[in-house]
Structure formats: structure tokens, C-alpha cells
Amino acid sequence: MAASVCRVGSTVGRALAKARSPILLSLRHGQATVTYAQSLLGAPETRLTTLDNGLRIASEETGHGTCTVGLWISCGSRYETEKNNGAGFFLEHMAFKGTKKHPQMALEQQVESMGAHLSAYTSREHTAYYMKTLSKDLPKAVALLSEVLQSNALSEADIEQQRSVVLKELEEVEGSLQDVCLDLLHATAFQGTPLGHSVLGPSQNARTLSRQDLVDFIRSHYKAPRMVLAAAGGVTHEELVGLAKQHFSGVSFEYEDDAVPVLSPCRFSGSEIRMRDDDMPLAHIAIAVEGASAASPDIVPLMVANAIIGSYDITFGGGKHLSSRLARLASEESLCHSFQAFHSSYSDTGLLGIYFVTDKHHIDDMMHWSQNAWMNLCTTVTESDIARANNALKASLVGQLNGTTPICDDIGRHVLNYGRRIPLAEWDARINAVTPKMVRDVCSKYIYDKCPAVSAVGPIEQLPDYNRMRSAMYWLRF
């Protein structure tokens, strides 16, 4: 069913994009003249081509006057060792400091003259370099991205200059307690494995990483079969494929001595890490269990389960009328300033959890009701819960694709994770297939009577003992 819907959607999408159909135009202007189902059928097709060296090209043509094009690489902090942890993040900083053909000033002038925006990011499993520009400047954008990736100067002077920048950024991240808390959660949940590494790396590595370390990292991981050239907006797939052949056909697909890097399994450890500081005004706490991998069939029921728990912020209106039971309790009982359910999925594992910020007097209560919400997912999910969560999840999936850059990012990550772009129509079909029993069964598999990982920062004297939190992961039922 989902596959047939996708094929129809692809045909209709191409027709609408070429004809500049009033249906598509009215949808873009936010007028409610088409139904949700019609908008899914009208979504443009994502086309995929693979070059001889293994590099994949994926694009979605929408007919916009602008486009986003970028390279997504299957490479992040998980591929680093303790010695070179932070190399990927350091390279992200070095990316725009000049190439062998264009020094930094000339590169910046090129980007500025196009009115473009050039950016990059690094995560635990992915690295991305991308540019948003006018559609007519697509050839220039691809040429610049090719230079940045393949001809980076990596001069010793620039490396030394960037050390202080990276160290300054590390200091700034220490001030973002949410990032600190979630990094600590990974460090304890995946302790002793590469997934426990921080994306930014330790400050010691930022001081000692050499040019040779960066060159070795590029040679080991920047290989064509691990790259996706993705584009969205006013692009034609044939033109993009031609540009890829011109600029990226020389990217290597061979490893020295056939030393292909293989991801080692990252075991999950039920554990805790506490950083108590009573001078802080609020406590930042995260609790998580091992979740599903990105390609697991359990991913959609878990997404629905997280939508049932929802999120909350003290600035929300609604109070006791909020749809999430945990949000209603948080508002009525002043349990926390904010909370959010999250699921970080990786190629072979994941983290399913709840992160909340509260004052030092409500930590115990908030932890109790958070774990109670998990137990309810395992035992008492109803049809009305599923209906509400399905609507919220669909709105979230559609709403986050609100421009060429998020669409391009979605394409790049999907091709790396799944080998294809999963259309919205297929997501819709998979969400509609979720039943209360399915959510109860999947949540029991991942949550019920499992050892959690906990991280906490701030005035956390009231945080329960780990054994007590572990005992709240099941109910005594007769």
C-alpha cells in the first residue's frame, strides 16, 4: 500500500513541479485548499543515482528560486579513537579556512558574491558540508564544495589559529547545560565505546591534534561510498549528476591496505553519572534506556510512544488542558520548568529517554512521574492516546521540512541511514499502522524492567538512589 502511494506521489510531484500547479502553489502559500492526503501525493519525488566510485547523488526538485546542496558523509565522533576524538569537529572548523586554489579571503568573497550561505556540522555518525544559494548558482556551489572537501589547505598557521577558537567553543558549550547533560548521558550509557565520545572531543585533544592527524582522518573516512551529494529546491537531477561526475568522480573508494574501518558494537550500560553543584539554580536530568536503531521496524512505534509523552515548557499555555498527561501534571503540580521525550537513533542502537529541568525541591516527584509515564506506555495505552500521538507526530514530520535546507538534510541523512529517502506518504502509512497493542509490546521490549542510564547536573541532592530508580522500571502486578 505504502509503496503504491509513493509511486503515485512521485508521478504527481513531477507533474506539479513542472506545471507550477495552483494546487502546489496554494499549498506553499499556506492556503487550506488541499487535504493532508493530497499534499502527500503532491510531494516531489526524490531521485537517486550512484556513480561508478560509489558516491550517491539524491535530489528533490521543487521549482524554488533557491536551492540547498551539500555533502553528507558517514563519519562522525563514533569513528574516532580516544587519541583523535574531536578530529571531525576540528575539520569542520578548518573547512572554510581556504583551499589550495582559493585562500580564505578569496573563498569568502566567492560565497559572498553569490549571496550564499556556507555551513557545516558534525554529529556522532554524520558530517555535513552544505550551501544554500540561488538555483542558477548551483554549478558554482558544487565546485566550491568539491574544493572544500578535496583540496583543503590545512595549513599549520590556520590549525594553530583554530585551536583557540575550538577551545573557546568548548568553554561556551560548558555553559549549555542541556548539551552537557546529554553528553554525560552518552558517556555513561555507552561507556568504554566510541559512542561515548563527545562530538567536540576533550580540550586536551584540541591542543594536541596535528595536521597529520587530520590528514589521516580524511584519508581513512572521506571515501566515495560513504558520501551523499544531496540537493533540494530549484535543481534538476540530471544537472546535479553531471556536476557530480565532473567534480567528485575522482574521490577515492579504496582503502590503504584494504583497511576498511568497521564500526565496533557499542554496548549499553545501565549506570549513572552525577555532577552536583548546589550553586546552580536548576537541575538538569536525563534518564534513558537503550532504544532502537535507525533502520529498526520498532522505530515508528517508539516515535508514537514519545509523542504520547510529549514535551512541556513553563511558558506553555493550556495548563490542565494540555493533551499530554505528564505535561498536565507538570503544569498543575509545578513539577518542572520543562521536559521533552527524545529518541537518538544510531546505525545499530539508540537512546530512548526523557530530559527535564526542575528546581531542587521537585526532582524526586518529576523522576517518579516520568518513570510512571513509561510504565503507562507499557501497560495502559489506549486508542485515543494513539490517535492524538499520530496527529502530533505527522504534524512534526511535515512541519520540520519547512525549507530547502531541512529537506536537503533529511535527504542526506535518510540515504546514509536507509539507502533511500523515505517519502512522507510512507511515513504516514507506517504511523497509521501503529496500534495500542503494538506500542505496549514495543515499549515493554525496550523499557519494562530494563536498567536505565541517568545523568544529572546541578543541585541534585534529591535525585533518588540508582537502585530506587531501577526498581521503578517495573510494576508489581497481580
Side-chain angles (χ1 to χ4, degrees):
M1 174 65 184
S4 62
V5 170
C6 296
R7 285 196 292 272
V8 172
S10 302
T11 307
V12 174
R14 280 199 299 273
L16 291 179
K18 289 178 181 176
R20 305 287 289 173
S21 162
I23 295 178
L24 189 61
L25 292 173
S26 63
L27 181 63
R28 287 178 187 149
H29 292 301
Q31 298 171 10
T33 56
V34 293
T35 66
Y36 172 71
Q38 286 173 324
S39 70
L40 294 183
L41 293 176
E45 175 193 22
T46 299
R47 299 176 64 188
L48 183 64
T49 302
T50 305
L51 297 186
D52 293 339
N53 62 357
L55 186 138
R56 288 163 288 182
I57 303 105
S59 69
E60 177 183 295
E61 182 181 354
T62 61
H64 285 93
T66 59
C67 68
T68 300
V69 61
L71 276 158
W72 272 255
I73 309 169
S74 183
C75 172
S77 61
R78 184 176 180 179
Y79 293 85
E80 299 167 352
T81 63
E82 287 189 14
K83 180 178 179 294
N84 70 355
N85 182 205
F89 182 71
F90 206 108
L91 278 171
E92 175 193 325
H93 276 260
M94 294 298 300
F96 313 124
K97 299 306 170 189
T99 66
K100 293 173 183 176
K101 184 178 176 182
H102 290 95
Q104 181 179 353
M105 185 172 292
L107 181 66
E108 290 173 352
Q109 286 176 346
Q110 278 272 77
V111 176
E112 287 293 324
S113 65
M114 294 160 58
H117 176 73
L118 184 60
S119 191
Y121 72 79
T122 307
S123 66
R124 282 182 164 80
E125 288 192 334
H126 299 149
T127 298
Y129 301 90
Y130 59 94
M131 182 184 291
K132 180 159 187 175
T133 184
L134 294 172
S135 298
K136 66 181 180 66
D137 290 327
L138 177 66
K140 292 181 185 177
V142 174
L144 282 176
L145 287 169
S146 171
E147 271 195 58
V148 165
L149 192 78
Q150 300 179 73
S151 305
N152 203 308
L154 292 179
S155 70
E156 293 285 359
D158 286 337
I159 289 173
E160 291 305 318
Q161 182 188 15
Q162 286 307 301
R163 288 194 200 281
S164 58
V165 177
V166 171
L167 288 168
K168 183 68 176 175
E169 198 159 329
L170 281 166
E171 279 184 35
E172 291 174 358
V173 168
E174 289 294 318
S176 172
L177 293 179
Q178 178 175 349
D179 291 338
V180 171
C181 187
L182 295 178
D183 269 348
L184 289 174
L185 183 69
H186 280 81
T188 191
F190 297 111
Q191 54 189 276
T193 73
L195 264 183
H197 293 159
S198 161
V199 173
L200 279 65
S203 58
Q204 181 60 30
N205 284 8
R207 294 186 181 95
T208 58
L209 279 170
S210 67
R211 183 183 188 279
Q212 191 58 46
D213 291 328
L214 301 180
V215 170
D216 290 343
F217 188 78
I218 292 172
R219 286 177 180 166
S220 298
H221 301 294
Y222 283 25
K223 301 295 183 181
R226 292 167 62 177
M227 295 182 184
V228 176
L229 179 65
V235 297
T236 60
H237 189 70
E238 290 76 14
E239 181 186 12
L240 188 64
V241 171
L243 291 168
K245 287 178 179 177
Q246 179 183 345
H247 296 288
F248 294 103
S249 57
V251 177
S252 171
F253 60 91
E254 297 176 332
Y255 292 88
E256 292 183 14
D257 304 321
D258 290 332
V260 181
V262 178
L263 281 180
S264 57
C266 290
R267 69 181 184 281
F268 177 89
S269 301
S271 53
E272 67 172 355
I273 184 166
R274 301 178 183 227
M275 287 182 60
R276 181 175 171 183
D277 185 346
D278 290 342
D279 290 333
M280 291 183 180
L282 297 170
H284 296 251
I285 298 165
I287 179 170
V289 291
E290 184 172 17
S293 65
S296 169
D298 295 329
I299 195 83
V300 174
L302 289 177
M303 289 164 68
V304 172
N306 267 355
I308 291 173
I309 293 177
S311 62
Y312 169 76
D313 189 275
I314 198 168
T315 60
F316 284 6
K320 64 181 180 181
H321 303 295
L322 290 168
S323 55
S324 161
R325 181 168 179 263
L326 186 57
R328 289 198 301 272
L329 282 166
S331 175
E332 290 180 317
E333 306 297 330
S334 301
L335 294 180
C336 66
H337 284 232
S338 65
F339 78 79
Q340 65 184 62
F342 65 88
H343 187 197
S344 302
S345 56
Y346 302 106
S347 57
D348 57 354
T349 186
L351 275 183
L352 176 72
I354 299 173
Y355 163 80
F356 61 88
V357 181
T358 186
D359 63 71
K360 61 184 179 182
H361 301 297
H362 291 93
I363 296 173
D364 195 357
D365 288 341
M366 187 60 198
M367 180 61 75
H368 166 78
W369 287 114
S370 297
Q371 292 185 275
N372 182 267
W374 270 354
M375 293 302 98
N376 284 327
L377 289 178
C378 300
T379 56
T380 60
V381 172
T382 64
E383 289 283 359
S384 61
D385 291 330
I386 297 296
R388 175 182 62 79
N390 281 2
N391 288 334
L393 183 55
K394 290 174 185 178
S396 173
L397 287 173
V398 174
Q400 66 191 12
L401 302 178
N402 61 347
T404 59
T405 301
I407 291 173
C408 191
D409 184 54
D410 194 59
I411 293 170
R413 290 185 296 104
H414 273 215
V415 175
L416 289 178
N417 287 334
Y418 311 117
R420 66 189 181 98
R421 169 91 183 282
I422 300 180
L424 284 173
E426 186 175 335
W427 281 121
D428 184 68
R430 291 170 66 178
I431 292 168
N432 287 336
V434 175
T435 63
K437 184 179 187 305
M438 193 184 297
V439 171
R440 291 194 297 267
D441 290 346
V442 170
C443 288
S444 294
K445 174 182 174 182
Y446 287 93
I447 299 173
Y448 198 83
D449 202 17
K450 303 295 182 186
C451 295
V454 181
S455 65
V457 181
I460 55 172
E461 181 182 9
Q462 201 186 76
L463 184 67
D465 175 74
Y466 181 82
N467 289 323
R468 188 172 148 210
M469 289 186 282
R470 174 63 182 87
S471 66
M473 297 298 291
Y474 62 88
W475 279 348
L476 296 174
R477 293 178 291 169
F478 300 95

